[in-house]
Amino acid sequence: MATLNSLLRQLFDLLLSPFAGLPSVVPVTAISVVVGVAMLWVYKKTSNQQKIEDVKQQIFASVFEIRLFNDNLPAIFRAQGDIFRRIPRYLSLSFVPLAWMLLPMVLLIAQLQFHYGYQGLQPGQPVLLKATLKPGASLPQDAAGALDVALSAPEGLKVEAGPVWVPALREVSWRLAAERPGSYQLTLKAGSESLTKTAVSSEKNLRRSPIRVGGALLDQLLYPAEDPIPTTSPFAEVKLDYPEAEVNLLGWHTHWLIAFFVLSLVAAFALKGWMGVEL
Amino acid sequence: MAGAPGKPRGRSRLALAAVLVAALAAALGCHGKKAQQPKVIVIGLDGLDFTLTGQLMAEGKLPNLSKIAQRGFFQALGTAVPPQSPVAWSNFITGMDAGGHGIYDFIHRDAKTMVPYLSTSRVDETTRFFRIGKYQFPLNGGKTRLLRQGTPFWEVLAQHGIDTAVVRMPANFPPSGKADKEISGMGTPDLLGTPGTFQFYTTELFKYYGKEITGGEVHEVVVENDQVQDKIYGPTNPYLAPIEGQKPERLAEPFTVYLDPHRDAVKLVLADQERLLEKGEWSDWLTIDFKLAPTQHLTGIARFYLKQVRPELELYVTPINLDPLAPAQPISHPEDFAAELAERTGRYYTKEMPEDTKALNAGIFTPEEFLHQAELATEPQIVQLQQMLDDYRQGLLFFYFGDTDQVAHMMWRAMDPAHPAYNAAQDGPFAEVIPKLYQKFDRVLGYVLEHAPPDALVLVMSDHGFAPFRRAVNLNSWLRDNGYLATLDPTRRATSGFFDNFNWAKTKAYALGLNGLYINLAGREKDGIVPASEREALMKELSAKLLALTDTKNGERAITKVYPREEVYQDRGHLEIGPDLVVGFARTWRTSNESALAGLAAEVFSDNTAAWSGDHCMDHETVPGVLFGTRKLARPAASLKDLAASILVELGVQEPFPPRAPSAP
């Protein structure tokens, strides 16, 4: 999974790089249209279009029956019963294409989330970096009994406070602030173990990783923006509190994912006739 | 008419065109503004003292003020009677004295109920509720009213098509709504509805027990497993129906402080907000969202200061301010102006006078901590001034700073070795704080001069000056000792205030506020006993005795003037609100805090040992303000009352101000 994520990261960084300097609504719209077309194509190729058309016709016939015989109560109930019986059939016919689309969509959304879901660190704006210990792990101590843990930041990124060790949360944290825009790599040392974490301070739509997690499959599926934490590290995850971002869709400020779903559905419905797809 | 269709149709087309043009102009926000307007920028520096300013200028320490004085003028500016900020700024705003604008003191009393109230604004009481279970929903009231009467001078300017921006004008809460842009200043409450109530959390049990702490609350907390869990307290929940026999429930928002077991640092968690604080650090603004009822919230903002972690945890929380991004009460006009400023300069203190003098007085802050907090409060204001100057094109820009007043109140002692609480070792290092503060604002004025349009008139003004406050006089105790005020229990010689232990049936006069003395008049006061026919004679008698009052410590006269309200105020309309006599204390004397709140002390005189060591609530002639201008005024102003009319003239408005000529006494 880590290898796949690494390849996907490189691919998406490359594909999305032309859009990096544009308002996020531009790439989100472009991607939504492309995805809408792709979903239509997958739907067409993996579904039984004839059966879908048949069951939809039957449902429409029942709706028509209700309008036609609206003074005949038994006929209305029978037509409604037919509609309710055919809807599961219609949904089941959509299941196969949806199953085909599920995994690519999860991978796609997971990649896009880290390009459009977060803002870069604002210069001068404090942000917390929190490292959580694995269950059973402990922080190394030096000879004097003090915690042997340190965070080093490159020039342009300042560690303002910390480490603050909170045993109840099994968490050690620092407060950082970018001094100027840039893409940085922090190094977290715990005894002899060291771990890196990316930090991006930029207005551009670049990949930002709010959390670096371990190698578990689900973690890697949901948080693919950085390599997994090595198994030898005492830390389970390292979080950087990027502020969340919004897309400005014609004055509607919303999460990119909502804009993506709306726009891809609009694109799919607009183009289904042209592509000859029965939805 | 029907027989001559041609011309009327032409006229109606013309009229229609005129209406459309007017509608278009209104839609575009033109509102009849003059295209070319004169330019006047007024910087209000509360409490900037005439004598000290002159002295520092002579020493070459205020180059920008000196530059203004050389280009234009520098003069003393007569202050208000009494010289208290809400009164003085109201004089400036309305061109009237307290008899006209109705603000006589920080505190007034309702004579019918004898309940004291803040003089500048009042919240209309809710009398009708709709109840569902434990909740009640108000059907009326709840509106905050500005009590200052009269026409603000910027309203006249607006009527003449002049652009107006009025930032933090005191005694203007809620904002008058008459300027193009307004944000309220002194008089704006915190979320609790008070002038500012800090909260202080400490593990040191009993340290503050029994101590009278005004303007703040101390909460004792316990550390368990390196954690402290407590709540930030808001106002009482107006949506919860009162239960008989129970105190109203206060809104509260829980928070947790995690202590690092090895270092003097903590992690603070409040709702979904997390902050790291090292010892001596301030957080940024955190949002505090109190839940009132399903779907109803009350939001404020506060900053946290980690004073100490060990041996005792000490955490200070600022008064909960109205959030400028979404204020729970109107603090600006238009309503989104406060948010517009916050979006450009970051969140800021919205409560009046943000410098937490109470925390210093209570010993929660050290002088260094107080000065740092005052700086944190002022810095965003300076940035806002810079932003306003960037936007400024013409018309009036007024911008107010209160730091010069609040810091002077708290740090004056450092310049006054004769002060009874002066300690050379403790106060000596702060001797230059006030001069340096004056120098800081001189630099701000340098920025203004640099960025103001070259043809703009820049005025710098203060509402009053300053003087040492060494000795406190409890007027109520003096009235008691001289037989004018009776107590219910003569053995209780000291009370905290609010007329506690007053025997109204035998009381002829009482003091309330910093300069006010009232006759307990029959038919006016709730339990008045002095017939109207005896009022004047009693006032004369009291005046004569007060003027002869000498301090037991040094035999000097403590009071230089006593003014009957009918004589000292020229304007009319709201004279009945004010005190019958206004007491003008000699320089270095002032009303005691207890007396101001209608309380008693065992002795009439006492040393002022509080950190609050400078003041101005004395005889108005001893504490004039300042007025600087980059050019001479066409209509000179000798006092605050005259200044607005002078500004109107500079902005091309020649009509008399105040608009309604005050009637003669």
Side-chain angles (χ1 to χ4, degrees):
Chain A
M1 190 70 200
T3 311
L4 175 65
N5 276 343
S6 175
L7 289 170
L8 286 173
R9 277 199 301 274
Q10 290 173 44
L11 177 67
F12 276 86
D13 286 354
L14 185 71
L15 288 174
L16 299 175
S17 61
F19 299 106
L22 297 173
S24 54
V25 69
V26 176
V28 168
T29 305
I31 294 162
S32 302
V33 173
V34 171
V35 169
V37 170
M39 284 194 303
L40 283 176
W41 185 81
V42 172
Y43 201 89
K44 186 177 182 179
K45 293 294 174 191
T46 58
S47 65
N48 188 329
Q49 291 281 292
Q50 187 55 53
K51 283 186 179 172
I52 288 174
E53 191 177 350
D54 289 349
V55 74
K56 277 177 67 181
Q57 288 297 339
Q58 288 160 0
I59 291 171
F60 285 143
S62 298
V63 172
F64 188 64
E65 192 179 353
I66 290 169
R67 290 187 63 186
L68 202 60
F69 303 106
N70 57 13
D71 55 348
N72 185 341
L73 210 55
I76 290 171
F77 280 132
R78 191 174 54 250
Q80 281 183 337
D82 288 346
I83 291 170
F84 287 128
R85 206 175 62 246
R86 282 163 185 151
I87 284 174
R89 170 75 180 141
Y90 173 67
L91 291 176
S92 69
L93 289 168
S94 305
F95 180 77
V96 174
L98 287 177
W100 275 100
M101 282 187 262
L102 184 66
L103 185 64
M105 285 298 282
V106 168
L107 294 174
L108 174 79
I109 288 169
Q111 289 293 329
L112 294 179
Q113 165 67 6
F114 300 108
H115 279 82
Y116 304 116
Y118 300 93
Q119 301 174 44
L121 305 179
Q122 303 291 313
Q125 195 68 35
V127 63
L128 293 195
L129 182 124
K130 297 172 284 188
T132 308
L133 279 183
K134 285 176 182 166
S138 59
L139 282 175
Q141 296 184 334
D142 62 17
L147 293 180
D148 187 12
V149 59
L151 181 74
S152 58
E155 206 175 312
L157 197 61
K158 188 180 175 191
V159 180
E160 290 186 338
V164 175
W165 165 234
V166 181
L169 304 175
R170 302 184 55 72
E171 177 194 280
V172 60
S173 42
W174 289 264
R175 190 177 71 235
L176 316 170
E179 292 175 315
R180 55 178 175 271
S183 290
Y184 303 104
Q185 187 146 292
L186 294 150
T187 306
L188 172 58
K189 281 190 178 167
S192 58
E193 290 287 334
S194 73
L195 181 65
T196 59
K197 173 80 193 75
T198 57
V200 177
S201 171
S202 174
E203 295 287 320
K204 290 184 175 178
N205 296 311
L206 302 174
R207 174 163 46 87
R208 300 172 181 108
S209 167
I211 182 166
R212 187 175 176 188
V213 291
L217 183 66
L218 189 61
D219 282 346
Q220 282 303 297
L221 196 64
L222 296 177
Y223 303 107
E226 279 185 280
D227 281 335
I229 292 173
T231 51
T232 52
S233 172
F235 295 109
E237 61 180 35
V238 184
K239 274 187 182 174
L240 186 60
D241 286 344
Y242 284 104
E244 290 193 355
E246 284 183 335
V247 169
N248 181 358
L249 188 61
L250 301 175
W252 178 37
H253 292 263
T254 187
H255 193 275
W256 78 270
L257 196 54
I258 295 171
F260 170 76
F261 275 121
V262 170
L263 291 170
S264 54
L265 283 174
V266 167
F269 276 100
L271 299 173
K272 74 182 177 85
W274 177 66
M275 291 180 67
V277 183
E278 195 65 53
L279 290 178
Chain B
M1 290 291 127
K7 278 188 177 176
R9 192 188 292 167
R11 277 203 295 269
S12 66
R13 276 183 187 161
L14 206 63
L16 182 66
V19 168
L20 285 173
V21 168
L24 188 64
L28 292 173
C30 297
H31 302 301
K33 291 285 187 197
K34 283 185 181 168
Q36 294 290 322
Q37 301 172 18
K39 304 173 182 75
V40 176
I41 296 171
V42 185
I43 305 297
L45 295 174
D46 202 307
L48 201 76
D49 183 59
F50 175 69
T51 309
L52 181 60
T53 303
Q55 184 190 317
L56 293 172
M57 283 167 67
E59 292 170 13
K61 290 180 175 168
L62 305 176
N64 292 302
L65 280 170
S66 297
K67 195 190 294 177
I68 296 174
Q70 280 160 16
R71 277 166 58 182
F73 68 95
F74 165 45
Q75 63 169 72
L77 186 65
T79 181
V81 178
Q84 300 182 29
S85 289
V87 190
W89 288 106
S90 297
N91 277 21
F92 169 54
I93 293 167
T94 64
M96 295 192 287
D97 60 33
H101 59 65
I103 308 294
Y104 289 86
D105 204 299
F106 283 96
I107 192 167
H108 288 172
R109 93 296 183 222
D110 180 345
K112 295 285 171 224
T113 59
M114 295 309 286
V115 174
Y117 62 91
L118 290 175
S119 62
T120 52
S121 65
R122 176 180 272 184
V123 180
D124 291 337
E125 208 173 308
T126 303
T127 51
R128 292 171 57 221
F129 292 94
F130 172 65
R131 289 187 67 158
I132 304 175
K134 66 177 184 174
Y135 293 108
Q136 60 178 14
F137 296 90
L139 298 174
N140 67 346
K143 194 178 173 192
T144 308
R145 281 185 298 127
L146 175 63
L147 298 180
R148 191 203 67 234
Q149 306 298 316
T151 306
F153 70 90
W154 54 85
E155 183 176 341
V156 178
L157 289 171
Q159 286 163 359
H160 284 77
I162 305 290
D163 296 344
T164 49
V166 179
V167 181
R168 286 199 184 80
M169 178 66 82
N172 192 41
F173 172 80
S176 70
K178 305 294 183 186
D180 297 320
K181 287 183 175 180
E182 263 178 277
I183 190 157
S184 60
M186 184 192 298
T188 311
D190 65 2
L191 201 70
L192 277 69
T194 70
T197 303
F198 68 81
Q199 300 186 43
F200 183 63
Y201 299 84
T202 176
T203 52
E204 190 167 10
L205 305 179
F206 309 119
K207 181 178 177 184
Y208 297 92
Y209 186 78
K211 283 190 181 173
E212 193 182 330
I213 293 177
T214 55
E217 298 170 357
V218 174
H219 304 286
E220 290 178 350
V221 294
V222 178
V223 178
E224 279 183 79
N225 299 324
D226 293 321
Q227 290 177 46
V228 167
Q229 294 190 330
D230 210 291
K231 290 174 180 170
I232 292 179
Y233 293 92
T236 55
N237 188 345
Y239 287 90
L240 277 185
I243 300 171
E244 212 171 305
Q246 283 185 21
K247 277 177 76 175
E249 190 178 314
R250 282 181 73 180
L251 295 163
E253 183 66 12
F255 69 92
T256 305
V257 179
Y258 295 99
L259 281 71
D260 186 311
H262 304 284
R263 302 179 61 241
D264 282 349
V266 304
K267 178 177 177 178
L268 171 74
V269 180
L270 172 71
D272 60 350
Q273 301 160 100
E274 300 177 327
R275 299 290 186 275
L276 291 192
L277 292 175
E278 306 251 4
K279 179 188 170 184
E281 273 192 331
W282 284 83
S283 75
D284 57 350
W285 291 103
L286 275 81
T287 303
I288 301 164
D289 193 24
F290 295 110
K291 288 147 200 78
L292 298 168
T295 76
Q296 298 295 313
H297 294 245
L298 181 66
T299 305
I301 54 169
R303 294 183 73 165
F304 290 69
Y305 169 60
L306 183 64
K307 186 176 163 71
Q308 186 174 286
V309 181
R310 295 181 181 83
E312 304 292 344
L313 177 72
E314 293 185 339
L315 182 69
Y316 162 92
V317 185
T318 63
I320 306 170
N321 282 247
L322 302 171
D323 183 355
L325 290 170
Q329 291 199 58
I331 55 169
S332 69
H333 171 81
E335 274 186 25
D336 59 0
F337 178 50
E340 185 190 314
L341 273 183
E343 277 160 12
R344 293 170 71 178
T345 66
R347 278 170 162 152
Y348 50 87
Y349 279 92
T350 54
K351 74 173 267 306
E352 65 154 38
M353 313 311 273
E355 298 81 1
D356 202 338
T357 56
K358 306 291 184 195
L360 177 57
N361 248 352
I364 304 283
F365 277 165
T366 62
E368 291 92 342
E369 288 168 336
F370 165 73
L371 291 170
H372 182 56
Q373 186 268 335
E375 201 169 315
L376 288 176
T378 310
E379 287 311 315
Q381 297 176 359
I382 294 173
V383 178
Q384 286 169 4
L385 171 62
Q386 293 168 347
Q387 295 276 344
M388 295 299 293
L389 280 170
D390 286 349
D391 294 348
Y392 178 75
R393 297 290 172 270
Q394 56 186 4
L396 172 77
L397 168 61
F398 173 88
F399 203 100
Y400 168 90
F401 291 100
D403 208 32
T404 35
D405 176 87
Q406 297 291 282
V407 173
H409 274 300
M410 305 312 288
M411 307 306 293
W412 200 270
R413 190 173 72 200
M415 298 194 302
D416 181 22
H419 195 279
Y422 181 82
N423 178 316
Q426 285 173 13
D427 297 323
F430 299 103
E432 285 299 309
V433 162
I434 293 173
K436 281 186 176 163
L437 186 68
Y438 278 40
Q439 288 176 279
K440 171 180 165 176
F441 281 98
D442 185 76
R443 289 192 293 277
V444 170
L445 293 170
Y447 184 93
V448 174
L449 292 176
E450 213 171 285
H451 290 81
D455 57 338
L457 166 66
V458 178
L459 294 173
V460 181
M461 61 171 294
S462 68
D463 55 335
H464 53 69
F466 253 88
F469 168 28
R470 296 175 192 153
R471 294 280 287 167
V473 185
N474 190 310
L475 287 176
N476 283 314
S477 300
W478 179 84
L479 289 166
R480 177 197 60 200
D481 294 354
N482 286 272
Y484 297 103
L485 190 154
T487 52
L488 295 166
D489 176 4
T491 61
R492 279 180 62 213
R493 290 183 58 80
T495 62
S496 56
F498 300 109
F499 307 116
D500 180 26
N501 201 29
F502 280 32
N503 182 352
W504 291 113
K506 293 178 183 173
T507 291
K508 291 182 180 173
Y510 59 94
L512 176 72
L514 290 160
N515 298 84
L517 203 147
Y518 297 80
I519 304 297
N520 189 24
L521 196 66
R524 185 183 70 182
E525 259 73 4
K526 184 184 170 196
D527 299 303
I529 61 164
V530 178
S533 58
E534 294 174 18
R535 174 177 175 262
E536 205 172 315
L538 179 58
M539 283 163 61
K540 280 184 180 160
E541 185 182 318
L542 285 168
S543 296
K545 286 189 178 177
L546 283 168
L547 287 168
L549 177 64
T550 52
D551 192 334
T552 47
K553 188 175 184 181
N554 51 26
E556 290 179 32
R557 289 251 164 95
I559 292 166
T560 50
K561 296 274 171 53
V562 181
Y563 302 100
R565 70 182 186 193
E566 286 81 1
E567 289 175 24
V568 73
Y569 298 119
Q570 306 303 307
D571 299 315
R572 292 291 182 270
H574 301 281
L575 198 64
E576 73 290 348
I577 301 171
D580 296 286
L581 293 170
V582 180
V583 179
F585 292 95
R587 195 173 165 85
T588 76
W589 279 268
R590 206 208 72 182
T591 303
S592 71
N593 291 338
E594 297 80 15
S595 185
L597 294 173
L600 292 159
E603 303 296 331
V604 173
F605 288 97
S606 58
D607 276 339
N608 171 31
T609 55
W612 186 282
S613 55
D615 212 287
H616 46 82
C617 300
M618 299 163 187
D619 180 359
H620 71 107
E621 287 175 2
T622 66
V623 281
V626 299
L627 181 62
F628 290 81
T630 48
R631 63 170 185 260
K632 289 210 161 43
L633 296 173
R635 183 188 183 284
S639 75
L640 279 166
K641 248 184 86 167
D642 311 324
L643 185 55
S646 305
I647 291 172
L648 291 184
V649 170
E650 296 297 329
L651 285 163
V653 178
Q654 301 291 341
E655 69 184 47
F657 186 80
R660 183 171 49 83
S663 54

